[in-house]
Amino acid sequence: MIIAIDGPAASGKGTLAKKLAAHLGLPHLDTGLLYRATARALLDADGRLDDARAAVAAARGLALTDFDEARLRGRAMGEAASVVAAIPAVRETLAAAQRSFALRPEGAVLDGRDIGTVICPEADVKIFVTASPQTRAQRRALELAGRGEPADYAAILEDIRVRDERDSSRAVAPLRAAPDAHALDTTALDVEAAFRAALRFLPAAG
Ligand code: DC
């Protein structure tokens, strides 16, 4: 079974994807990490985020398995990832790895922005996770504070607005719900309640 989970930054899609994957015994791919790792590699090589050729080379050079999440999760890398993610050739380069992950015999759970629309339009279950920008900014602030990073709520809310706008308005594979996606608004839901709500979207045996 392939489960595609999409949604904007800090909507709760990653946490939900992890929980569903553990529940179903399926492998999970957080596709945002691919874009973050591409941006990180580019910056580490003193490249510019809008240099398409260098960005594609960075994407091609990624080792899919060992991401140093501590270096990728921060606020700046989310923003940088959103910039390289708007380069069509970067998306194309990363698409093949995402598709082959999804086509594992046992199935997979993938989360991102374009999983249900572009990467796995054939997914068995699609969930589009949203939450208000204010709730998402609060969650991100708590998460950053928990890691000892500066967590200025107003700056985070502004980041989220900018990222939503860039991710939704880019020409290729913009953030969008697939027509057959189940909508899940987590604004008023905690992790457990969002998980229980998502379980209702699974086929009966799940
Ligand atoms: O989910 P995230 O915050 O880790 O993603 C970081 C950025 O990567 C996001 O702002 C846009 C981009 N991204 C994308 O364009 N497509 C995906 N499938 C996943 C992430």
Side-chain angles (χ1 to χ4, degrees), residues 5-11 13-14 30-36 72-74 77-86 91 94 98 110-115 119 140 159 162-164 166-168 170 172-175:
I5 304 183
D6 292 300
S11 56
K13 65 184 186 313
D30 169 353
T31 64
L33 281 179
L34 305 181
Y35 294 93
R36 287 171 181 260
L72 299 177
R73 285 278 171 220
M77 217 37 63
E79 174 63 19
S82 166
V83 175
V84 296
R91 305 200 69 82
L94 295 175
Q98 296 173 67
L110 287 85
D111 74 87
R113 302 289 187 291
D114 62 339
I115 308 303
I119 301 295
R140 214 9 81 82
D159 264 13
V162 169
R163 207 128 73 84
D164 281 358
R166 189 187 299 109
D167 293 346
S168 309
R170 67 179 174 229
V172 176
L175 169 66

Side-chain angles (χ1 to χ4, degrees), residues 17-126:
K18 253 189 223 128
K19 275 183 85 75
L20 282 175
H23 178 74
L24 296 166
L26 293 175
H28 165 229
L29 180 63
D30 169 353
T31 64
L33 281 179
L34 305 181
Y35 294 93
R36 287 171 181 260
T38 300
R40 177 83 262 172
L42 199 54
L43 294 175
D44 284 350
D46 287 329
R48 282 182 21 203
L49 291 172
D50 61 353
D51 180 343
R53 190 192 290 246
V56 167
R60 285 215 180 102
L62 290 185
L64 271 195
T65 42
D66 47 293
F67 291 123
D68 179 357
E69 291 204 29
R71 289 189 78 218
L72 299 177
R73 285 278 171 220
R75 214 181 116 195
M77 217 37 63
E79 174 63 19
S82 166
V83 175
V84 296
I87 302 173
V90 168
R91 305 200 69 82
E92 216 170 282
T93 305
L94 295 175
Q98 296 173 67
R99 289 205 183 98
S100 60
F101 189 95
L103 292 176
R104 289 168 176 221
E106 69 271 39
V109 180
L110 287 85
D111 74 87
R113 302 289 187 291
D114 62 339
I115 308 303
T117 49
V118 175
I119 301 295
C120 302
E122 78 289 9
D124 302 281
V125 180
K126 299 179 186 178

